[in-house]
Amino acid sequence: MDALAVGSIRDKWIAHLARELRKVRAQAERLSLKTAPERIIHYIESVGEGGVLHLNQSKKDWAAEPRPHARSALSRAGADEKAGAAYHRR
């Protein structure tokens, strides 16, 4: 039996690949942005819901991941929070 001939398995695999492709394309687009604030806003808009990014870790840990430079991301997050941006930790 060919696994890709089974409709539900094939459809789930196609959906999985489509999600991964969108995720990688968004990462590539984000990395092409010139400034950390632009990359942070893009990340929030592409990953967050309704302009809100729900973190399951501290902002410092999130900023240390391979995205914009950790220090600029953390300071930008603090400045944005003071300006009214919503960062929620789960």
Side-chain angles (χ1 to χ4, degrees):
M1 180 165 129
D2 186 7
L4 293 180
V6 178
S8 65
I9 294 172
R10 181 190 61 233
D11 293 344
K12 287 178 183 179
W13 182 245
I14 290 170
H16 168 74
L17 292 176
R19 277 191 309 274
E20 289 299 309
L21 180 59
R22 281 192 298 274
K23 186 169 114 178
V24 170
R25 287 180 72 187
Q27 286 174 333
E29 182 180 322
R30 189 168 30 261
L31 291 173
S32 72
L33 297 172
K34 295 183 189 241
T35 66
E38 289 175 325
R39 291 189 296 267
I40 293 167
I41 290 168
H42 183 278
Y43 186 82
I44 292 169
E45 290 174 349
S46 63
V47 176
E49 296 174 11
V52 177
L53 177 63
H54 295 280
L55 299 175
N56 57 2
Q57 57 195 9
S58 72
K59 286 185 281 188
K60 184 176 181 180
D61 290 341
W62 173 80
E65 291 179 11
R67 278 189 286 278
H69 187 271
R71 183 174 300 215
S72 64
L74 188 56
S75 64
R76 178 63 190 200
D80 287 350
E81 201 166 29
K82 288 177 187 172
Y87 296 87
H88 296 284
R89 188 169 175 218
R90 283 189 177 170

